[in-house]
Each structure stands twice: as structure tokens, then as C-alpha cells.
Amino acid sequence: EVQLVESGGGLVQPGGSLRLSCAASGIAFRTYWMSWVRQAPGKGLEWVANIKEDGNEKLYMDSVRGRFTISRDNAKNSVYLQMNSLRAEDTAVYYCARDSGGYVDSWGQGTLVTVSS
Amino acid sequence: SYELIQPLSVSVALGQTAGLSCGGNNIGNKNVHWYQQKPGQAPVLVLYRDTNRPSGIPERFSGSNSGNTATLTISRTQAGDEADYYCQVWDSSSGGVFGGGTKLTVL
């Protein structure tokens, strides 16, 4: 059974930083792209970033490019999202997701990030 | 950037058929995926690549995609189908793109 467990969310001030982690189990982690998808309170889903199996290709949505960095450690079956220069509009539940060729077939339960003073 | 348009809400009578649309420019040329999300839960994939059902998804869920509209069809709708539904595509310039979501109400 696939399990994706996020951690690292919390309350942070505008301009601050936070690092999200996602630990995967039950999957051949190193053979999948991995993604982060977020959902602001009461809003829809929004793709944030994804990373290739070997970590050599990374893609970002426009509003986070240059502020967020996705990375992975295949030895630890983990993917990360370093978030800098956080803004109020980054407030959301962040989901770790397994990418199966353009779509997500497994989701974590999410971790809440709140950006507020 | 590529955009997907979904109606905010759709209502269907219990046991009837619901059609949820997803509009996008030449979406028929893309693979469309659909997710179901119930309150307080993570999304669940219900259809991928237009018409394919993941393991465990009932045959009542089906899809089509042509021209500028993709459609998720739910037959013999049950109370447990009440949820938010999102369509999604991968666009080479925009990355992952989700529609705004449709709230399905089962009457």
C-alpha cells in the first residue's frame, strides 16, 4: 500500500521560510516523478512543483518559481519543498503526490502552512 | 497559460446520471484526469487519461473528451458520490493545470 506522509507545516510570518518533507513507503520511489499540490482554505487544487525520478529536472508554477525549491533524496524515499519569502497567498494545505505520467495516483493527507503575522 | 473551466455546482437526483464538464482550448488533444474530493479528505483519482478507471473505482464513473470539452459521467448516482470534482491536464508551458472544481450535490 502506498503511503505518503507530509510534515513540516505550521505558522510562519510573511517573508519567512519553511521546509516541507514527505516520506514515501510502499512504492518504488526512485521510479516516479513526485509533485507538490496545494489547496488554499475553501479553494481548489493548485499544482505547485514536480521533480523527475533522478532529481535532474524540476518544474514550478509561475508564482513560486524563484521562491520555492523542490528536491528529493531517493536513499531516504523522501521529497522536500523548501519555501522562502512566504506570502499570505501561500497559505494552504500542501499535498505530497505521486506523479504517474501527468496525473496524481497517490496523495498524502496534507500539511497546513499558514502565513500570517 | 492554459485554463480549465468547470461549473461551480451540479445537482443530480439520487439514482440519476450526472455529467460534469471541463472546458479548455482544444482539450480533446490532451489527456484529462479527474479527482474526487470529499470534505476534509485528500483528493482521490477517479479517471485518468480521459476514460481509464483506477482499481477500486466503480464502473459507474466514465469519461469522454473531444473538441473543447471533457466530461465526467457518473451513472446511478449515489449519496456517497457527493463531493467536489476536479479535472486536470498537463500542459507543456503551464505545468499541471486544475480546473476550479465542481461541487456535486445529490438530491
Side-chain angles (χ1 to χ4, degrees):
Chain A
E1 180 190 357
V2 178
Q3 266 206 320
L4 301 172
V5 180
E6 303 94 337
S7 60
L11 175 63
V12 61
Q13 292 188 340
S17 298
L18 215 51
R19 188 194 195 212
L20 305 183
S21 300
C22 170
S25 60
I27 66 172
F29 182 78
R30 65 184 64 237
T31 66
Y32 286 93
W33 283 70
M34 295 295 295
S35 296
W36 288 95
V37 176
R38 70 184 182 184
Q39 186 170 35
K43 302 297 184 182
L45 300 172
E46 189 174 48
W47 174 82
V48 176
N50 65 359
I51 184 168
K52 195 177 178 181
E53 299 95 325
D54 59 6
N56 287 337
E57 187 172 344
K58 305 171 185 181
L59 300 168
Y60 300 92
M61 65 180 296
D62 287 347
S63 65
V64 308
R65 191 176 298 113
R67 300 188 299 123
F68 290 10
T69 302
I70 189 171
S71 61
R72 65 191 295 161
D73 184 339
N74 286 343
K76 295 182 177 180
N77 283 1
S78 293
V79 62
Y80 309 98
L81 187 67
Q82 176 67 42
M83 304 185 295
N84 298 332
S85 302
L86 282 161
R87 307 166 180 167
E89 54 264 35
D90 296 317
T91 294
V93 173
Y94 284 73
Y95 293 101
C96 174
R98 185 176 79 172
D99 191 325
S100 282
Y103 62 93
V104 174
D105 67 352
S106 296
W107 300 75
Q109 282 306 301
T111 186
L112 176 62
V113 173
T114 303
V115 184
S116 175
S117 54
Chain B
S1 61
Y2 195 79
E3 291 186 17
L4 295 174
I5 305 299
Q6 297 183 254
L8 282 176
S9 63
V10 168
S11 297
V12 62
L14 186 68
Q16 298 304 302
T17 298
L20 282 65
S21 64
C22 175
N25 187 37
N26 291 322
I27 196 173
N29 293 333
K30 298 181 180 296
N31 290 314
V32 179
H33 322 292
W34 292 89
Y35 305 89
Q36 175 194 70
Q37 186 179 35
K38 296 181 179 179
Q41 297 183 18
V44 171
L45 179 70
V46 295
L47 281 182
Y48 63 97
R49 294 180 190 145
D50 300 341
T51 61
N52 296 277
R53 283 177 290 104
S55 172
I57 301 302
E59 291 183 6
R60 301 185 297 103
F61 289 79
S62 62
S64 64
N65 183 19
S66 179
N68 292 318
T69 304
T71 302
L72 169 67
T73 301
I74 309 173
S75 305
R76 304 181 299 283
T77 307
Q78 302 177 357
D81 298 331
E82 192 162 281
D84 294 328
Y85 290 84
Y86 296 89
C87 58
Q88 180 252 318
V89 301
W90 183 263
D91 181 76
S92 58
S93 58
S94 303
V97 179
F98 288 93
T102 296
K103 180 178 180 60
L104 177 67
T105 300
V106 180
L107 304 172

